[in-house]
Amino acid sequence: MTIAHDDIRVAGEVAPVATLSMAAALNLALADAIEADTAVVVFGEDVGALGGVFRITDGLTARFGEDRCFDTPLAESGIVGTAVGMAMNGMRPVVELQFDAFALPAFEQIVSHVAKMGNRTRGVVRMPLVIRIPFGGGIGGVEHHCDSSEAYYAHTPGLTVISPSTPQDAYSMLRAAIASPDPVIFLEPKKLYWTKGEVDTSIVAEIGTARVAREGTDVTLLAYAASVPLALEAAEVASAEGRSVQVIDIRSLSPFDDATVTAAVRATGRAVVIAEAPGYSSVASEIQARVFERCFEYLEAPVRRVTGFDTPFAPPKLEHWYLPDVDRVLDAIDSLHWEDES
Amino acid sequence: MTIAHDDIRVAGEVAPVATLSMAAALNLALADAIEADTAVVVFGEDVGALGGVFRITDGLTARFGEDRCFDTPLAESGIVGTAVGMAMNGMRPVVELQFDAFALPAFEQIVSHVAKMGNRTRGVVRMPLVIRIPFGGGIGGVEHHCDSSEAYYAHTPGLTVISPSTPQDAYSMLRAAIASPDPVIFLEPKKLYWTKGEVDTSIVAEIGTARVAREGTDVTLLAYAASVPLALEAAEVASAEGRSVQVIDIRSLSPFDDATVTAAVRATGRAVVIAEAPGYSSVASEIQARVFERCFEYLEAPVRRVTGFDTPFAPPKLEHWYLPDVDRVLDAIDSLHWEDES
Amino acid sequence: MQHEDMLPRSTVTQLIDAHGTVVEDEQYALPSVEALLAAYRGLVDARRINDQASALVRQGRLAVYPSSHGQEACQIGAALALSPDDWLFPTYRDSVAVIARGVAPAEAMVLLQGGWHSGYDVRRHRVAPQATPLATQLLHAVGFAYAAKQRGEDTVVMALCGDGATSEGDFHEALNFAAVFRVPVVFFVQNNGFAISVPLSRQTAAPSLAHKAIGYGMPGRRVDGNDVAAVLAVLGEAVALARSGGGPSLIEAHTYRMQAHTNADDDTRYRERSEVEEWAARDPLARLRTHLTATGALTDAREEEFAAGAEEIASAMREALAVDAEVDPEDLFRFVTATRSPQLDEQWRLLRGEIDRTRTEDPAQQQIHGGSR
Amino acid sequence: MQHEDMLPRSTVTQLIDAHGTVVEDEQYALPSVEALLAAYRGLVDARRINDQASALVRQGRLAVYPSSHGQEACQIGAALALSPDDWLFPTYRDSVAVIARGVAPAEAMVLLQGGWHSGYDVRRHRVAPQATPLATQLLHAVGFAYAAKQRGEDTVVMALCGDGATSEGDFHEALNFAAVFRVPVVFFVQNNGFAISVPLSRQTAAPSLAHKAIGYGMPGRRVDGNDVAAVLAVLGEAVALARSGGGPSLIEAHTYRMQAHTNADDDTRYRERSEVEEWAARDPLARLRTHLTATGALTDAREEEFAAGAEEIASAMREALAVDAEVDPEDLFRFVTATRSPQLDEQWRLLRGEIDRTRTEDPAQQQIHGGSR
Ligand SMILES: Cc1ncc(C[n+]2csc(CCOP(=O)(O)OP(=O)(O)O)c2C)c(N)n1
Ligand SMILES: Cc1ncc(C[n+]2csc(CCOP(=O)(O)OP(=O)(O)O)c2C)c(N)n1
Ligand SMILES: [Mg+2]
Ligand SMILES: [Mg+2]
């Protein structure tokens, strides 16, 4: 399925600071990375002439040629396995897997090789490759097009797993991912592809760090990807109701920024984790467990989580019931044993 | 790799109650299931003449014929995908994937179809199939032979994920898995294949329930698979040191028996979760998070977890450092804010 | 079967050419006039369904539609080649074949409308759910056929996929399993030249996709996928082989997707209009109409009757999709497993509470939808 | 290349038969005497390495050894067909080929001894880690070759796998990518008739594994895998084709694993002793010895020299594996990623503490090992 979209075609025509959609910021990051390092190659299904079903690679083949951005046969294990070999031989592959569920055919290559090659060879062969995966719901996609599979990757030792929630982070984190000597699963919240924001191309992101997206003193919301704007919206509503809500954009799912998160929750004493994926054995449960363990003495109430249900992702017409929304987040906040209440 | 083993060849020659190794109990369960229901078929790599690299299917082809137990081409996605089609058409496939990491090529079939077909068809097409996977370490196996991947499956809605820790449960839970209308990932702790215990074939297991493996009042150890005997050993040592330790065998990783676990931890007020898999975003983190959230008011100390490190599984010579051991469990117990200390 | 016989012939099999002229073939006979008339009627319905569905997308009544406009001879050929008890394993592009097998158009459209992941009773219609993850369904077809064969049933299973899907590992594993176990499956590849934007030349360097068959030990055949007569003949042979215990076949149909991949796609980015026009001249309907009219089998009255029948289907589609089908949020939890777990019960109670509150706060609200407090 | 030329010939290529007699071939020339002598020396080493490793397993010095006893002509042929700058992508069964490419036996054995997942410097030796997950390494070989080709290097990559591995989806995807991108890879399948216990007939129904090649658009060739002369000739042709920009080839060698899958396997469960004996009569060493002795190229002195060389390798292996190499638990954390995360630091501190405590509690303890308090 391709998805309706605005064209991007910004590659190479943007000033150092500009207002861009997340999609355009990603496109620019790819273009700048290709230009900066001859080892960088972008490939996958439909990333060439079409520019990707979400147009993230729009214009790259035209501008840089088939050697730098090209289509492959339709086989995800093939794409990732080939990328492993290219990374072994001096290239920095940046591959696109078209939708989250279509990364699954590559799972063995990702877990058994991408994640382990560096360890296996005692660091002699590193895997400087990036696997870009559009993920998450909110676009009314049919089955297999809206999953959030970050837990599979975050649970796998050796993988760096990151996801931006702003155009700025989309740009800076993708550049950082491409520059990293380690393999990065780069999860793109497709719901946010068309949200705009300022992008300063000189900002360098540090993988492994969380970002305080909003200051607040009563409760900390811990979110990533499309759940960050949701958390911010909930924080806004809650603040109108008199609660000061802090929002932290986790953005680096693995490794995890314990320092920032622990300090934040110790300060507020209350926390809610928000994520779209099914909650069971998830990144959200990990965050919840870590925060519980590290902030136990500081907690006024149990850490709560608001996640997708433990069901297959909903069909488009039921999606709004499935996804975490502002009400559900506010309910969770309300449940945190406030002294001003009963 | 095949692994040294004792032969089993018990199929069909055992009294209702007998002392069996876990391997023999599994073999008997398969034989009894084949005999009980003509829809049951067993297949996979080397399960025929060889009887499986762990001999779990030993003698089945000889006794029941190629129609009921047979070898396939070497392709795990093929095995699982074919099983999906067979399950759609009246069969009850029980497939063996040879080692945990060699289930990964089948991951797309498992996540996108095994787990979702029932939901997709509004229950019209159920998936009564069992995927048996030997998992975990403790046998000195080389890379790819000792992983614990339960988190991948437990996180996937639609899958039942279970793992026995005794020969009795091995028998009863495998029979229950084969009888289930839902797809079951049946994880066999290969370290325990050769441990013996009494098996009463008339005992029927109920999927979704945990089992109290040892009574105790001071602290609850929550474990599954090969970590259960470890927990029992640690409990024994701790009891010599004066602590009364309860051990719960989770055994049903998904669905999870909240009732039993919550009641247990509320009673003791202290808990340690033990599992071999890397801890990050794992089943152990899920259990830790759930227990925290449900028992918050009852806890004397943070719930701890003892897990494998967030590294690829160790090579044989380093395995003993990687795996949770008695000392590590005892250290975790010691950390639970005991009043009699400091 | 001799090894050489597994290789496709050097030319693509065609029985009626683009001008409606019959082509003599030493191996395949032209289907009977009745069969061709039935096929023509199918093509008329098929074209109408495709174009109606595309129109419904433009009107916002369908979320997405991967049209098989241009590939109707394959769709109808696949449906007609099967006996009533046979099974079809289709993809997202094969809605027309699904409908031709007896599924009500409105039920076939549930997926594309967003109401549920699949909208028809697969058992009643003997049509598997339309598969989205490419090539995965080919394995299901193999397993299904295996079970049928084991029970001594003479079911044949037709498994559909596109040219792009042949690159997936599951394609390989499915054909290999099918050949090793000699199961009654016909693998029918609609080679429409593109996988979304990627042309066949980026998909394979083989002489043809049908040349893959010998690597599994089954016959590979090539057929003009815009010639329903040839499609019926070649598929008919493969179905007969499968039914008689001769095992699987791989059939490659050369065809063309006349429209974009889906409504969301922009095919001007990756193919020349001239190429599309060339293929328009090879339209599957036109050539059969020419042939049947020339032989006198297709009269004006018949043509009108067929058109009216197609129009009826289209108007039923419009009607069915004009109303927003009610969706029930509890469905999210109902079918995940046969017995609902306590965890899912708990989660449904949470959602139920939210829904109740939404309704209480705004009792006027009849239709369930997401609210903000 | 003409399509027919992609098909293997109807007979398996053999240049020296099981009795040591030269077979005339219209396409392939017998390698030079020097080449055959070098190959023979390689075979002698190979056989000794195999049998020494198996003995070390019995003595408990190696955990496991998948022997290539019987397949040495393939192992040595693969190693000798490459130039020094070429790369080899081997499997767990290819330790002998790995050693023949220059890796020290002790380093090759680190995996099988359990010290680490791979024991040699892959860059220095241009040998990828021995792959365990079947067929996965074929894709790595393709990507590696792609990068070399893009940079205009004339590296050829030889990718090894077994007959069983050809059933995996990754085999399909690798050959397809290789052909579409025309990369310099030689896919060399050692068809030893079994995948652990599963015979070839359960792996494929194709006329031969080499018949899969045409389905990707590359040449497929069959060779007697116990005839190193033929292996050298056929692989040599494929390597030359790849080096000259002609793209990949698929070579199937017919051979036999004379011992069980590994020491842990019991091959009496799945194959007749008579079959094993038949293959013993086709031994790769014996036939070449007969041939070279008959032509006078192999003198008793040479034979002794070769035997002594092999014995030297074996004794070095014994020596290297006699001592338990020290292992450092911190290695668990050292190589996971280029920069160690705070999480891993924390976990290493935990383990470090345990180790320190073990040592403190039992200061006599020199060797690090797991203790119980
Ligand atoms: C495993 C998988 N990968 C990617 C996709 C996304 N996708 C949907 S259709 C398509 C192209 C398929 O091409 P082809 O098989 O030729 O069928 P056609 O659409 O031409 O009928 C792609 C890449 C998918 N559905 N499944
Ligand atoms: C993906 C995967 N599945 C299963 C295995 C387990 N396994 C190891 S070797 C082997 C048989 C391989 O047979 P073949 O490819 O013919 O190679 P051979 O051992 O005969 O050299 C199997 C099934 C594996 N290593 N990887
Ligand atoms: Mg196509
Ligand atoms: Mg083999």
Side-chain angles (χ1 to χ4, degrees):
Chain A
M1 309 264 149
T2 54
I3 297 293
H5 54 82
D6 287 335
D7 285 359
I8 301 165
R9 296 200 188 281
V10 297
E13 306 160 16
V14 200
V17 179
T19 299
L20 298 176
S21 68
M22 182 182 283
L26 292 166
N27 180 261
L28 182 63
L30 291 172
D32 288 354
I34 289 174
E35 207 156 45
D37 184 349
T38 55
V40 173
V41 281
V42 172
F43 56 98
E45 295 158 9
D46 302 294
V47 299
L50 186 63
V53 296
F54 290 106
R55 304 294 184 266
I56 307 302
T57 57
D58 193 37
L60 296 180
T61 302
R63 184 166 157 210
F64 299 105
E66 272 266 321
D67 286 353
R68 307 302 299 280
C69 177
F70 59 94
D71 290 327
T72 65
L74 208 169
E76 293 78 9
S77 187
I79 291 169
V80 174
T82 305
V84 168
M86 289 162 68
M88 289 178 80
N89 198 4
M91 284 184 157
R92 291 186 168 266
V94 182
V95 306
E96 173 174 308
L97 300 179
Q98 208 161 74
F99 284 87
D100 191 280
F102 307 144
L104 301 177
F107 201 61
E108 181 191 29
Q109 285 288 350
I110 294 174
V111 173
S112 289
H113 294 301
V114 172
K116 296 198 172 91
M117 187 66 83
N119 187 64
R120 179 179 304 143
T121 61
R122 304 179 71 86
V124 170
V125 177
R126 285 279 160 220
M127 286 281 110
L129 62 84
V130 178
I131 301 178
R132 294 181 37 242
I133 310 177
F135 89 125
I139 59 157
V142 299
E143 201 189 3
H144 308 291
H145 288 76
C146 293
D147 300 295
S148 294
S149 303
E150 62 270 26
Y152 299 144
Y153 306 111
H155 179 61
T156 305
L159 297 178
T160 299
V161 185
I162 60 182
S163 185
S165 77
T166 66
Q168 178 66 60
D169 273 357
Y171 180 88
S172 305
M173 288 168 67
L174 184 50
R175 291 299 304 271
I178 296 172
S180 169
D182 293 315
V184 177
I185 307 291
F186 190 86
L187 299 168
E188 302 175 0
K190 54 179 108 65
K191 188 186 172 185
L192 304 183
Y193 270 150
W194 304 282
T195 60
K196 297 199 168 179
E198 201 161 88
V199 175
D200 178 345
T201 59
S202 67
I203 292 179
V204 177
E206 198 191 334
I207 292 173
T209 61
R211 182 177 64 88
V212 178
R214 179 190 166 109
E215 299 288 354
T217 53
D218 293 339
V219 52
T220 304
L221 302 183
L222 301 163
Y224 55 87
S227 298
V228 174
L230 170 65
L232 290 169
E233 204 187 324
E236 202 57 43
V237 179
S239 94
E241 294 177 1
R243 300 214 205 283
S244 169
V245 181
Q246 181 188 42
V247 176
I248 297 203
D249 181 352
I250 299 296
R251 62 181 196 176
S252 180
L253 280 54
S254 176
F256 186 81
D257 186 352
D258 279 310
T260 300
V261 170
T262 305
V265 178
R266 286 186 180 178
T268 60
R270 291 181 172 86
V272 176
V273 186
I274 313 169
E276 271 184 34
Y280 198 83
S281 283
S282 65
V283 173
S285 26
E286 175 63 38
I287 298 173
Q288 192 183 17
R290 295 184 93 74
V291 168
F292 255 127
E293 200 172 344
R294 284 155 205 263
C295 306
F296 186 66
E297 268 86 45
Y298 301 79
L299 291 175
E300 307 286 344
V303 181
R304 297 287 181 204
R305 66 181 171 203
V306 175
T307 66
F309 298 121
D310 293 317
T311 70
F313 194 86
K317 291 194 174 182
L318 290 168
E319 190 184 42
H320 63 284
W321 289 118
Y322 179 89
L323 290 173
D325 66 3
V326 170
D327 285 357
R328 212 171 281 163
V329 174
L330 293 173
D331 287 351
I333 294 175
D334 284 350
S335 77
L336 298 178
H337 303 189
W338 299 94
E339 281 122 44
D340 52 357
E341 282 161 20
S342 64
Chain B
M1 310 265 149
T2 55
I3 297 292
H5 53 83
D6 288 336
D7 285 0
I8 300 165
R9 296 199 188 282
V10 299
E13 306 159 16
V14 200
V17 181
T19 299
L20 298 177
S21 68
M22 181 182 283
L26 293 165
N27 179 261
L28 182 63
L30 291 172
D32 288 355
I34 288 174
E35 206 156 47
D37 183 349
T38 55
V40 174
V41 280
V42 172
F43 56 98
E45 295 158 9
D46 302 293
V47 299
L50 185 64
V53 294
F54 291 106
R55 304 294 184 268
I56 308 301
T57 58
D58 193 39
L60 297 180
T61 302
R63 183 165 159 211
F64 299 105
E66 271 267 322
D67 286 353
R68 307 302 297 282
C69 178
F70 59 94
D71 291 326
T72 65
L74 208 168
E76 292 78 10
S77 187
I79 291 168
V80 174
T82 305
V84 167
M86 290 162 68
M88 289 178 80
N89 198 5
M91 284 185 157
R92 290 186 169 266
V94 183
V95 306
E96 173 174 307
L97 300 180
Q98 207 160 74
F99 284 88
D100 191 279
F102 308 144
L104 301 176
F107 201 61
E108 180 190 29
Q109 285 287 350
I110 294 174
V111 173
S112 289
H113 294 300
V114 172
K116 296 198 172 93
M117 187 66 83
N119 187 64
R120 178 179 304 143
T121 61
R122 305 178 71 86
V124 169
V125 178
R126 285 279 160 219
M127 286 282 110
L129 62 84
V130 178
I131 301 178
R132 295 180 37 241
I133 310 178
F135 89 125
I139 60 156
V142 299
E143 203 190 1
H144 307 291
H145 288 75
C146 293
D147 300 294
S148 293
S149 303
E150 61 270 27
Y152 299 144
Y153 307 111
H155 178 62
T156 304
L159 297 178
T160 298
V161 185
I162 60 182
S163 185
S165 76
T166 65
Q168 178 66 60
D169 273 357
Y171 180 88
S172 305
M173 287 168 67
L174 184 51
R175 292 298 306 268
I178 297 172
S180 169
D182 293 315
V184 177
I185 307 292
F186 191 86
L187 299 168
E188 303 176 358
K190 54 178 107 66
K191 187 185 172 185
L192 304 183
Y193 269 150
W194 303 284
T195 59
K196 296 199 168 180
E198 201 162 86
V199 175
D200 178 345
T201 59
S202 68
I203 291 179
V204 176
E206 199 190 333
I207 291 174
T209 61
R211 181 177 66 87
V212 179
R214 179 189 167 109
E215 299 288 355
T217 53
D218 294 339
V219 53
T220 304
L221 302 184
L222 301 162
Y224 55 87
S227 299
V228 174
L230 169 65
L232 289 169
E233 206 187 323
E236 203 57 42
V237 179
S239 97
E241 295 177 1
R243 302 218 203 281
S244 169
V245 182
Q246 181 187 41
V247 176
I248 297 205
D249 181 352
I250 298 295
R251 66 181 192 176
S252 180
L253 281 53
S254 176
F256 186 81
D257 186 351
D258 279 310
T260 301
V261 170
T262 304
V265 178
R266 287 186 180 178
T268 60
R270 290 182 174 85
V272 176
V273 185
I274 313 169
E276 271 184 35
Y280 198 82
S281 282
S282 66
V283 172
S285 28
E286 175 63 36
I287 298 174
Q288 193 183 18
R290 295 183 93 76
V291 168
F292 255 127
E293 200 171 345
R294 284 154 205 262
C295 306
F296 187 67
E297 268 85 46
Y298 301 80
L299 291 175
E300 306 286 345
V303 180
R304 299 287 181 203
R305 66 181 171 202
V306 175
T307 66
F309 298 121
D310 292 319
T311 70
F313 194 85
K317 291 195 176 181
L318 290 169
E319 190 184 43
H320 63 285
W321 290 118
Y322 179 90
L323 290 173
D325 66 2
V326 170
D327 284 356
R328 210 171 283 162
V329 174
L330 293 174
D331 287 350
I333 294 175
D334 284 350
S335 77
L336 298 178
H337 302 189
W338 299 93
E339 283 121 45
D340 52 359
E341 280 161 22
S342 67
Chain C
M1 177 169 293
Q2 295 296 303
H3 297 165
E4 312 80 70
D5 295 341
M6 293 179 186
L7 288 169
R9 302 193 297 189
S10 58
T11 56
V12 173
T13 299
Q14 189 182 56
L15 297 180
I16 300 177
D17 73 12
H19 309 293
T21 314
V22 169
V23 181
E24 283 304 319
D25 191 286
E26 53 185 20
Q27 193 175 345
Y28 299 101
L30 192 69
S32 70
V33 173
E34 295 73 49
L36 289 179
L37 265 179
Y40 182 69
R41 172 167 215 154
L43 292 180
V44 171
D45 290 349
R47 177 62 49 86
R48 192 67 193 89
I49 291 166
N50 271 326
D51 295 347
Q52 180 60 73
S54 294
L56 287 165
V57 171
R58 287 189 297 274
Q59 294 153 29
R61 304 307 310 169
L62 277 181
V64 64
Y65 185 68
S67 177
S68 62
H69 186 124
Q71 304 179 206
E72 288 94 345
C74 295
Q75 297 284 304
I76 296 304
L80 294 183
L82 296 176
S83 299
D85 281 355
D86 293 338
W87 272 72
L88 183 73
F89 280 70
T91 78
Y92 54 90
R93 189 164 315 284
D94 304 309
S95 302
V96 164
V98 168
I99 294 168
R101 288 292 294 167
V103 172
E107 289 184 357
M109 298 295 150
V110 166
L111 164 68
L112 306 166
Q113 205 192 7
W116 197 254
H117 313 295
S118 173
Y120 49 89
D121 183 332
V122 306
R123 293 208 188 286
R124 192 157 84 84
H125 300 291
R126 299 172 187 272
V127 178
Q130 289 179 262
T132 301
L134 294 163
T136 56
Q137 77 283 2
L138 305 179
L139 280 163
H140 308 167
V142 171
F144 197 97
Y146 181 95
K149 182 185 169 189
Q150 280 295 108
R151 285 197 301 265
E153 298 159 7
D154 74 347
T155 317
V156 171
V157 178
M158 173 100 55
L160 306 181
C161 77
D163 46 313
T166 66
S167 296
E168 290 280 7
D170 273 8
F171 173 87
H172 176 69
E173 300 189 13
L175 270 75
N176 195 42
F177 270 65
V180 165
F181 293 114
R182 227 181 148 77
V183 298
V185 177
V186 177
F187 297 99
F188 184 38
V189 178
Q190 293 168 70
N191 174 0
N192 61 11
F194 288 90
I196 308 186
S197 69
V198 181
L200 186 69
S201 59
R202 202 27 83 82
Q203 220 58 252
T204 186
S208 82
L209 295 173
H211 277 84
K212 294 182 183 292
I214 193 169
Y216 304 102
M218 65 174 78
R221 302 287 176 255
R222 291 194 290 166
V223 64
D224 179 343
N226 284 17
D227 172 10
V228 76
V231 171
L232 283 171
V234 173
L235 285 182
E237 184 191 48
V239 167
L241 182 72
R243 198 170 328 270
S244 67
S249 304
L250 170 64
I251 315 294
E252 175 190 12
H254 293 257
T255 183
Y256 200 78
R257 149 168 77 68
M258 294 300 293
Q259 297 175 348
H261 173 69
T262 69
N263 47 293
D265 181 33
D266 172 7
D267 69 336
T268 64
R269 285 178 169 244
Y270 56 80
R271 59 186 189 182
E272 297 295 330
R273 289 313 89 189
S274 58
E275 185 182 287
V276 180
E277 277 152 33
E278 265 168 49
W279 277 91
R282 301 179 201 150
D283 187 65
L285 276 81
R287 72 174 72 180
L288 189 54
R289 185 188 308 116
T290 308
H291 168 71
L292 289 173
T293 310
T295 63
L298 186 62
T299 59
D300 283 359
R302 271 258 168 79
E303 181 84 68
E304 269 167 42
E305 180 197 331
F306 289 179
E311 204 40 54
E312 225 168 275
I313 297 173
S315 85
M317 272 173 77
R318 284 194 303 274
E319 237 169 84
L321 298 180
V323 285
D324 259 336
E326 272 247 21
V327 285
D328 179 354
E330 193 175 356
D331 281 359
L332 284 175
F333 302 92
R334 267 199 184 104
F335 311 113
V336 182
T337 43
T339 43
R340 207 186 296 181
S341 72
Q343 275 91 56
L344 287 193
D345 267 336
E346 191 179 307
Q347 294 176 20
W348 166 233
R349 278 197 301 276
L350 173 81
L351 176 56
R352 174 86 260 170
E354 294 176 2
I355 293 168
D356 287 349
R357 208 172 42 190
T358 311
R359 284 192 176 133
T360 317
E361 283 168 14
D362 178 7
Q365 202 178 325
Q366 289 299 318
Q367 181 84 17
I368 293 169
H369 64 73
S372 180
R373 69 177 181 182
Chain D
M1 179 167 292
Q2 295 295 303
H3 296 165
E4 312 82 68
D5 297 341
M6 294 179 185
L7 289 169
R9 302 193 296 190
S10 58
T11 56
V12 173
T13 298
Q14 191 183 55
L15 298 181
I16 301 178
D17 74 12
H19 309 293
T21 314
V22 170
V23 181
E24 283 304 320
D25 192 285
E26 52 185 19
Q27 195 174 342
Y28 299 101
L30 193 69
S32 69
V33 174
E34 294 72 49
L36 289 180
L37 265 181
Y40 182 69
R41 171 168 216 154
L43 292 180
V44 171
D45 290 348
R47 176 64 50 88
R48 192 68 193 86
I49 292 166
N50 271 327
D51 295 346
Q52 179 61 71
S54 295
L56 287 166
V57 170
R58 287 190 297 274
Q59 294 154 26
R61 305 305 312 169
L62 277 181
V64 63
Y65 185 68
S67 178
S68 62
H69 187 124
Q71 303 179 207
E72 288 95 344
C74 296
Q75 297 284 306
I76 296 304
L80 294 183
L82 295 176
S83 299
D85 281 355
D86 293 338
W87 272 72
L88 183 73
F89 280 70
T91 77
Y92 53 89
R93 186 160 322 278
D94 303 310
S95 302
V96 165
V98 167
I99 293 168
R101 287 292 293 167
V103 172
E107 290 183 359
M109 298 295 152
V110 165
L111 164 69
L112 306 167
Q113 203 192 8
W116 197 254
H117 312 295
S118 172
Y120 49 88
D121 183 333
V122 306
R123 292 209 189 286
R124 190 156 86 85
H125 299 291
R126 299 172 187 272
V127 177
Q130 289 179 262
T132 300
L134 295 163
T136 55
Q137 78 281 4
L138 306 180
L139 280 162
H140 308 167
V142 172
F144 197 96
Y146 180 95
K149 182 185 169 189
Q150 280 294 108
R151 286 197 301 266
E153 297 159 5
D154 74 346
T155 317
V156 171
V157 178
M158 172 101 55
L160 306 180
C161 77
D163 47 315
T166 66
S167 295
E168 290 281 6
D170 274 7
F171 173 87
H172 177 69
E173 300 188 15
L175 271 75
N176 195 41
F177 271 63
V180 165
F181 293 114
R182 227 180 149 79
V183 297
V185 177
V186 177
F187 297 99
F188 184 39
V189 179
Q190 293 169 70
N191 173 0
N192 60 12
F194 287 91
I196 308 184
S197 69
V198 182
L200 186 70
S201 59
R202 202 27 82 82
Q203 219 60 252
T204 185
S208 82
L209 295 173
H211 277 84
K212 293 182 184 294
I214 195 170
Y216 303 103
M218 66 174 77
R221 302 288 176 254
R222 292 194 289 167
V223 63
D224 179 343
N226 284 17
D227 172 9
V228 76
V231 171
L232 282 172
V234 173
L235 286 181
E237 183 191 48
V239 166
L241 183 73
R243 196 166 333 267
S244 68
S249 304
L250 170 63
I251 314 295
E252 175 190 11
H254 292 256
T255 183
Y256 200 78
R257 147 167 79 67
M258 294 301 291
Q259 298 176 348
H261 173 69
T262 69
N263 47 295
D265 181 34
D266 172 8
D267 69 335
T268 63
R269 284 178 169 246
Y270 55 81
R271 59 185 190 182
E272 297 295 331
R273 288 313 90 187
S274 58
E275 187 183 286
V276 181
E277 277 152 32
E278 266 168 48
W279 277 92
R282 301 179 200 149
D283 187 65
L285 275 82
R287 73 174 71 180
L288 189 54
R289 184 187 309 118
T290 308
H291 168 71
L292 288 174
T293 310
T295 62
L298 186 63
T299 58
D300 282 357
R302 272 257 165 79
E303 181 85 67
E304 268 165 43
E305 180 198 331
F306 290 179
E311 204 39 56
E312 225 168 276
I313 298 174
S315 85
M317 272 174 77
R318 285 194 303 273
E319 235 169 86
L321 298 180
V323 285
D324 259 336
E326 272 247 20
V327 286
D328 178 355
E330 192 174 357
D331 281 359
L332 284 175
F333 302 91
R334 269 201 184 101
F335 312 113
V336 182
T337 43
T339 42
R340 208 186 295 180
S341 72
Q343 276 90 58
L344 287 193
D345 268 336
E346 191 179 306
Q347 294 176 20
W348 166 234
R349 279 196 301 277
L350 173 81
L351 177 56
R352 174 85 261 172
E354 294 175 3
I355 293 169
D356 288 346
R357 208 171 45 190
T358 310
R359 285 191 176 136
T360 317
E361 284 168 14
D362 178 7
Q365 202 178 324
Q366 291 299 320
Q367 181 86 17
I368 293 169
H369 64 71
S372 182
R373 70 176 181 183

